[in-house]
Each structure stands twice: as structure tokens, then as C-alpha cells.
Amino acid sequence: MKRIRLGVNIDHVATVRNARGETYPSPLRAAILAEKNGADSVTIHLREDRRHINEFDLKKIIKKLKIPLNLEIAATQEMLKIASRSKPPFICIVPEKRKEITTEGGLNLDYNTNFLKKLIKKLKKNKSRISLFIEPSLKDIEKAKKLDVDCVEIHTGKLCNLINKKKNYKNELNKIQKVVHKGNYFGLEVHAGHGLTYSSAKILSKIKGIQEFNIGHFLVGESIFDGMPLTIKKFKKILKS
Ligand code: PXP
């Protein structure tokens, strides 16, 4: 069985730093530590309001990291400019609302579609791998295919909430499974992310056809207790089984 790749999202290392307006803890140090401990990629989300990661982090991390950096951006002119300049190996386009606590859902692929097409075309010229963060919806995966991206990342927030609340998650899991199969059928790489914990990652890893998990908040939280090396090790074990 093929191992699922682990993308480590380090946004919340920057959240802790920014809470005190300090220079530590360092997201660069976290990125290098993740790399040393077996992460397959490192993810950062450069938000419009720069509430965690900023451009200085982006510059430093992209310079030092040997594994691929996955830059999450909203579909805006500003982010197009930044991504064109920094040329990260991986880019994931995400929706963004200023007041949300975290990314609340997948992209609305019927909105701003012409700009989205232009953005994808331009960023692909830099040889970046382009992914779209979408809801687990068959319609959306068809739309993503038409937009000529390399991958989609399925928003797993709803599934993870149901699992955390010990509610019935079977319908949501089935929905995700169908979308994964359709994505694979279309030749898209399928990723998953948002809200993943040890238990939800374990459940989701049983679905065949997901190539990458992107995990942040829970992983950074667990690192407080167990340290990042052990936390990554635990996730890698789940993704291997
Ligand atoms: N994938 C995407 C596209 C995201 O926007 C986020 C949150 O920034 C994640 C994965 C990681 O989610 P979490 O921090 O809940 O693990």
C-alpha cells in the first residue's frame, strides 16, 4: 500500500509568535525541524491580514527548505504577485474571509472564475504544482478538472467535527470517498486537509486514493506536549498503515 505524504502546516507557530509581537517561536525553525523529522512538505498560509505567516517568513523558509514548500493563497492580485515572485514548488488556492477564524469551506468555483483561470495559468508557467481547496462535492471536482489544476485538496472540516463530537460520520466519509475516486479517475492528485487529528487521520487514511494530508492546528498543539518530532512520527505511522 502506498504511503500517504504528510504536509506539516506551521501557521500556528507564527500565531504564538505574533500573540506577543516577539521574534520567537520561529516558523523557519519549525519548518526545518519538520523537514528533519520526515515531513514530506511544509505548508504556510499567507493571509491577507498576515495574522500568522508574513512575507519575511515566506522568504526565509523558501530559501532554506529542501523539501517542497506549499504556499496557500487566496485568489487575489496581491497573492498572484507574491507567488509569481517567490515561485514556491506547491501552491494551494484557498478561499479567504477576513473575519473567519480559519478557512471555513472550499472554494466557490463559480465566483471569479475568469481570474481563477488566469491565476492558475500564470502560476503553472513557473512550474508550481497547483491545487484547489474544494468541498467534498462531485460537481466541484468536475469544475476543478476543467480548470486544469494538478491537484485538489478536499476540505475535511465537517468530517473531523463529526468524528470529534462522536456523531455519525459515515455519510460524510462516503461523500469524500466518491470525490476521491472521481478525482483519481480524472487523473488529479487528491489531498485532504483541515481539522485532522490522530483519530480523523486514521479514519480518513483508510480511503484509497488520497496522496497527501495537510495538517496544522492539531499537530502544532500536540507538539507542545510531545514535541514536534514525536508528533510527526505518530502521524507518519498512521499514514503508513
Ligand atoms: N489545508 C488547507 C487548505 C487549509 O487552509 C488548512 C488550514 O489553514 C489546513 C489544510 C490545515 O488545517 P488544520 O490547521 O485544521 O490542520
Side-chain angles (χ1 to χ4, degrees), residues 7-12 43-45 47 52 70 72-73 92-95 100-105 131-134 153-157 160 191-197 213-220 235:
V8 173
N9 181 317
I10 56 162
D11 288 347
H12 295 303
T43 297
I44 53 174
H45 183 177
R47 279 185 168 266
H52 37 60
N70 178 31
E72 288 179 1
I73 52 165
C92 182
I93 303 166
V94 299
E100 68 190 356
I101 293 173
T102 182
T103 318
E104 284 167 353
S131 180
L132 294 177
F133 192 42
I134 62 165
E153 181 167 326
I154 296 174
H155 193 298
T156 52
C160 295
H191 308 157
H194 211 281
L196 288 165
T197 62
F213 280 12
N214 283 301
I215 308 177
H217 186 252
F218 179 84
L219 190 153
V220 171
F235 267 117

Side-chain angles (χ1 to χ4, degrees), residues 70-169:
N70 178 31
L71 179 67
E72 288 179 1
I73 52 165
T76 64
Q77 284 289 359
E78 185 201 15
M79 290 300 150
L80 172 60
K81 220 188 263 175
I82 293 171
S84 302
R85 219 184 297 131
S86 55
K87 300 184 179 57
F90 297 170
I91 294 172
C92 182
I93 303 166
V94 299
E96 205 175 290
K97 290 188 220 134
R98 208 167 237 243
K99 291 208 173 105
E100 68 190 356
I101 293 173
T102 182
T103 318
E104 284 167 353
L107 284 159
N108 177 353
L109 298 175
D110 296 319
Y111 171 76
N112 216 5
T113 318
N114 282 339
F115 181 70
L116 203 55
K117 275 187 198 157
K118 186 177 121 184
L119 181 88
I120 293 163
K121 208 170 162 189
K122 285 204 169 171
L123 295 176
K124 278 188 97 172
K125 279 196 184 136
N126 297 332
K127 308 258 180 291
S128 294
R129 182 196 80 173
I130 310 295
S131 180
L132 294 177
F133 192 42
I134 62 165
E135 284 295 308
S137 136
L138 289 171
K139 279 195 180 136
D140 282 354
I141 203 144
E142 278 174 25
K143 287 176 197 162
K145 172 68 186 164
K146 285 190 187 137
L147 284 165
D148 197 25
V149 286
D150 306 290
C151 339
V152 289
E153 181 167 326
I154 296 174
H155 193 298
T156 52
K158 189 171 173 196
L159 174 78
C160 295
N161 271 335
L162 292 169
I163 294 171
N164 291 346
K165 290 182 181 151
K166 305 210 181 327
K167 289 191 176 164
N168 190 339
Y169 58 82

Side-chain angles (χ1 to χ4, degrees), residues 193-207:
H194 211 281
L196 288 165
T197 62
Y198 293 137
S199 36
S200 42
K202 199 168 191 170
I203 291 166
L204 199 64
S205 66
K206 302 296 172 225
I207 290 186

